[in-house]
Amino acid sequence: MTVGELRVWAPDGIREVVPGDDLVALLVASLRADAAADPGHALADGDVVVVTSKVVSKAEGRVVAADDRERAITEQTVRVVATREHPGGVTRIVENHLGLVMAAAGVDASNTPEGTVLLLPLDPDRSARALRAGLAAAFGVRVGVIVTDTAGRPWRHGVTDLAIGAAGVEVLDDLRGQVDTFGRPLTMTVAAVADEIASAAELVKGKASGRPVAVVRGVGHVVTDDDGPGARVLVRTGPDDMFHQGSAEAYAQGWKDALERPGR
């Protein structure tokens, strides 16, 4: 590969994952079969293996009985950001136990048996570390691992994949203090590298192709020797959260606070 080149591919899908499966073994088998078919796909130092959280959750037994998905969402919710009714029902944007703000708290009712829902991994960073260790032992290479989920974004239509777990990857590329091509100092730019890699991988994985794993090559400069802090550092909460409430919720809260103000 040359400088400035990125390669992304998704091996043939692995079989349906069920609770208790050895996900490392399934990934290793898939990656080895892919390399046998195309030697150029043999896992190499600096590659990043991107895994959809759905298969991680299934292997970790995060499939739970739930006739009512809304109840499951409530149980996974820490804070409601916004609620909107629409012809298809109600959409809730909430913060879940991982600190992630997303629709339905990340509770997924697709590609799971009837009467069950799929919860996100309890600790996606820990899951990523375990997968990385297993892949390193099997292939003898230094790779990064990113666990992804799908989320919407404020002010943008459509969804994209983002990193909810990571190991061996610099998830943020802090460019502050460097200079641009005109010599001006960069003061604000911090690139969400792990999210960018997650989105690139989704282009070849797809939502219904049965390919939950992708390999991204060409980003070896962000692959680290140690596991690193994980994707948790990407989450913006507390005082840095400028969008703590939805617009309608903030408006209603403002009215409530004004009416309760002493002297009214």
Side-chain angles (χ1 to χ4, degrees):
M1 291 185 60
T2 60
V3 175
E5 180 179 343
L6 188 72
R7 291 185 62 196
V8 189
W9 67 90
D12 285 337
I14 59 179
R15 64 164 174 77
E16 178 66 20
V17 177
V18 298
D21 271 344
D22 184 342
L23 187 56
V24 170
L26 294 176
L27 295 184
V28 168
S30 176
L31 291 167
R32 281 181 173 160
D34 187 52
D38 185 344
H41 285 183
L43 210 59
D45 280 344
D47 287 347
V48 178
V49 179
V50 183
V51 185
T52 301
S53 62
K54 189 184 296 288
V55 295
V56 177
S57 292
K58 288 181 177 180
E60 294 180 356
R62 298 287 283 162
V63 182
V64 298
D67 293 329
D68 183 359
R69 179 173 179 247
E70 293 302 314
R71 184 175 181 181
I73 294 170
T74 299
E75 292 173 349
Q76 294 299 306
T77 296
V78 172
R79 173 176 62 91
V80 176
V81 176
T83 301
R84 296 292 183 274
E85 295 185 6
H86 51 81
V90 177
T91 295
R92 284 188 282 172
I93 308 299
V94 305
E95 177 186 340
N96 63 22
H97 294 290
L98 297 171
L100 299 168
V101 175
M102 53 177 50
V107 175
D108 196 344
S110 63
N111 294 311
T112 186
E114 189 70 27
T116 67
V117 296
L118 197 60
L119 309 182
L120 292 176
L122 278 173
D123 186 342
D125 284 329
R126 182 178 63 192
S127 303
R129 292 192 294 268
L131 293 175
R132 184 186 189 225
L135 293 173
F139 294 99
V141 293
R142 182 176 61 90
V143 298
V145 170
I146 292 176
V147 176
T148 69
D149 196 42
T150 303
R153 301 148 300 154
W155 311 295
R156 305 285 289 182
H157 287 296
V159 296
T160 187
D161 267 24
L162 47 76
I164 65 169
V169 177
E170 292 181 3
V171 297
L172 291 168
D173 187 10
D174 191 346
L175 301 177
R176 292 173 297 183
Q178 299 185 33
V179 295
D180 66 14
T181 55
F182 291 93
R184 291 188 292 262
L186 299 173
T187 60
M188 297 292 291
T189 305
V190 181
V193 176
D195 285 346
E196 293 174 326
I197 295 173
S199 293
E202 178 56 20
L203 292 174
V204 296
K205 286 189 298 170
K207 299 298 180 191
S209 63
R211 295 173 182 258
V213 180
V215 179
V216 179
R217 179 169 295 170
V219 289
H221 59 287
V222 301
V223 175
T224 59
D225 291 329
D226 59 6
D227 285 331
R232 180 72 186 184
V233 299
L234 290 164
V235 178
R236 176 180 288 171
T237 56
D240 290 335
D241 182 3
M242 297 176 65
F243 310 100
H244 190 74
Q245 292 178 297
S247 56
E249 287 73 17
Y251 186 79
Q253 185 64 49
W255 267 107
K256 181 175 181 293
D257 291 345
L259 293 172
E260 293 176 354
R261 192 169 56 211
R264 285 194 60 87

